Amino acid sequence: MNREEKQEVVLALQEKMQEFGNFYITDTSGLSVEKVNNIRRKCFESGIEMQVAKNTLIKKAIEGLEGDASEIFPALKGQSALLFSKVGNGPAKLIKSLRKGKGEDKPQLKGAYVDTAIFVGDNQLDALVSLKSREELIGEIIGLLQSPAKNVVSALQSGGGKIAGIVKTLQERG
């Protein structure tokens, strides 16, 4: 691969990192071609893009991102496959489901970049699975904001009849 081709790969990786906003670095070494193809198929079904690249090119692409993401550099050892996703916890859930029931520890999570937060190590997988997506958080906030408003409206509606009754009674007395 010559210098221009490497630069093209770095730019393409940077574009994907910026477009998706979330990416995971995983280790799929030692897996058969059939298992890797199965992972690719599951990624496609989940709206996740998988790409294999050299660690040096991944590092250069990360260096081009805004902010300091150097904490993730120690994860760039051995074979690396990148999982790009719009949903922050999507790849973590996929990795967890791929491992379930088979006693497998692959794909191994090496690191993750989720909305500028950096997670390093496979021990972070459970934390990443429990992260809420942006849509889930917005839904919860809307639900919380609607709840008090609904209570006020229902109190006014039910209390409105009582207040009218009290006013009418006072008028009749007066």
Side-chain angles (χ1 to χ4, degrees):
M1 198 183 274
N2 65 29
R3 186 175 282 236
E4 290 85 29
E5 291 171 332
K6 288 179 182 179
Q7 188 60 29
E8 285 177 27
V9 170
V10 168
L11 290 174
L13 286 173
Q14 275 181 343
E15 283 178 23
K16 280 191 179 182
M17 289 173 181
Q18 291 169 346
E19 175 190 345
F20 286 94
N22 308 302
F23 64 90
Y24 284 54
I25 303 169
T26 61
D27 178 10
T28 57
S29 63
L31 292 177
S32 67
V33 172
E34 179 185 345
K35 288 183 180 179
V36 172
N37 285 340
N38 182 44
I39 293 170
R40 286 183 184 277
R41 190 176 316 105
K42 298 274 187 194
C43 284
F44 180 76
E45 292 168 1
S46 302
I48 299 169
E49 282 191 37
M50 181 177 177
Q51 183 173 347
V52 177
K54 288 185 169 187
N55 289 327
T56 53
L57 300 179
I58 295 170
K59 183 177 180 181
K60 285 183 189 269
I62 292 171
E63 287 172 346
L65 295 175
E66 291 181 24
D68 180 28
S70 60
E71 293 175 47
I72 205 165
F73 293 159
L76 295 172
K77 290 185 173 73
Q79 185 179 355
S80 295
L82 292 166
L83 302 178
F84 297 98
S85 174
K86 298 260 187 204
V87 180
N89 63 357
K93 289 180 178 179
L94 177 69
I95 291 169
K96 196 87 163 171
S97 72
L98 288 168
R99 291 186 188 178
K100 195 174 275 186
K102 299 173 188 157
E104 295 243 2
D105 65 339
K106 297 273 176 142
Q108 189 90 26
L109 176 68
K110 292 164 58 172
Y113 181 93
V114 180
D115 290 325
T116 69
I118 296 172
F119 302 84
V120 178
D122 196 59
N123 58 340
Q124 299 289 320
L125 189 60
D126 290 329
L128 287 163
V129 168
S130 65
L131 279 179
K132 295 193 186 274
S133 70
R134 172 183 241 148
E135 289 76 21
E136 291 171 329
L137 288 173
I138 291 171
E140 281 186 18
I141 290 170
I142 289 171
L144 290 171
L145 291 174
Q146 283 181 340
S147 180
K150 285 181 182 176
N151 290 342
V152 168
V153 169
S154 66
L156 288 173
Q157 285 176 342
S158 67
K162 291 179 185 176
I163 292 172
I166 293 170
V167 169
K168 189 175 184 180
T169 306
L170 290 173
Q171 273 182 341
E172 289 173 359
R173 285 187 185 171

